[in-house]
């Protein structure tokens, strides 16, 4: 019989998996529902060629959703999905840092398209680094198949 969560060390992979999956499901929702608003959020970063923004605004939220679903419910794909989420978070964090250093004050677009909410600042960087750590826990704890 399997032992339950009798310590934080035993529960941490499960908690990390649940948190990472649910956070990315939550963050993908508004982007899927309003790809035009998400495209505007991407545009505000001033990092990508104009022609690539719409494609990214349509494709990226679905990738986030599929990866989140795989992390939560498909053990066979948990490791690669966690790795993809870590990769996306590294890109997102780099984009936020670049705009911080450039002095561009924008909404990060992570959970809302509202330009007055979720400013891409140091709190966003710390949040993303925490999510990268969660992704690392999920990646390490998932069994190799």
């Amino acid at each position: 019989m399997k032992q339950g969560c009798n310590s934080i060390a035993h529960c941490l992979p499960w908690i990390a998996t649940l948190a990472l999956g649910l956070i990315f499901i939550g963050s993908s929702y508004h982007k899927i529902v309003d790809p035009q608003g998400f495209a505007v959020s991407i545009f505000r970063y001033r990092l990508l060629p104009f022609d690539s923004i719409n494609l990214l605004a349509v494709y990226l939220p679905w990738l986030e959703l599929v990866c989140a679903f795989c992390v939560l419910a498909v053990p066979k794909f948990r490791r690669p999905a966690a790795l993809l989420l870590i990769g996306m978070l590294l890109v997102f964090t780099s984009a936020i840092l670049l705009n911080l250093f450039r002095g561009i004050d924008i909404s990060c677009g992570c959970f809302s398209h509202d330009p007055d909410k979720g400013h891409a600042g140091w709190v966003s960087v710390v949040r993303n680094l925490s999510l990268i750590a969660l992704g690392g826990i999920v990646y390490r704890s998932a069994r190799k198949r």
Side-chain angles (χ1 to χ4, degrees):
M1 185 152 89
K2 267 186 156 178
Q3 289 183 335
C5 283
N6 53 10
S7 72
I8 290 289
H10 287 105
C11 293
L12 192 57
W14 182 81
I15 293 167
T17 299
L18 189 62
L20 190 67
L22 292 177
I23 287 168
F24 268 92
I25 287 172
S27 73
S28 67
Y29 173 76
H30 78 280
K31 299 170 192 172
I32 290 170
V33 171
D34 182 15
Q36 183 178 1
F38 184 48
V40 172
S41 293
I42 295 170
F43 175 76
R44 288 184 185 128
Y45 277 87
R46 302 180 198 166
L47 294 174
L48 297 173
F50 186 74
D51 294 341
S52 65
I53 291 173
N54 286 338
L55 180 63
L56 187 62
V58 170
Y59 172 72
L60 185 63
W62 287 101
L63 180 61
E64 289 177 351
L65 183 65
V66 168
C67 286
F69 176 75
C70 288
V71 161
L72 288 170
V74 188
K76 180 178 180 179
F77 295 123
R78 188 166 289 145
R79 280 176 69 93
L83 197 58
L84 276 171
L85 290 174
I86 291 168
M88 285 187 273
L89 284 162
L90 288 169
V91 171
F92 302 157
T93 306
S94 298
I96 291 168
L97 284 169
L98 184 60
N99 276 323
L100 280 172
F101 292 126
R102 289 167 47 189
I104 299 173
D105 184 23
I106 58 171
S107 169
C108 73
C110 304
F111 297 97
S112 172
H113 303 310
D114 185 344
D116 296 326
K117 292 186 179 174
H119 283 271
W122 292 106
V123 171
S124 299
V125 172
V126 170
R127 179 198 61 226
N128 284 2
L129 292 175
S130 300
L131 289 172
I132 290 168
L134 287 177
I137 292 167
V138 172
Y139 180 81
R140 283 197 64 198
S141 68
R143 284 191 245 162
K144 294 180 185 178
R145 301 252 176 201

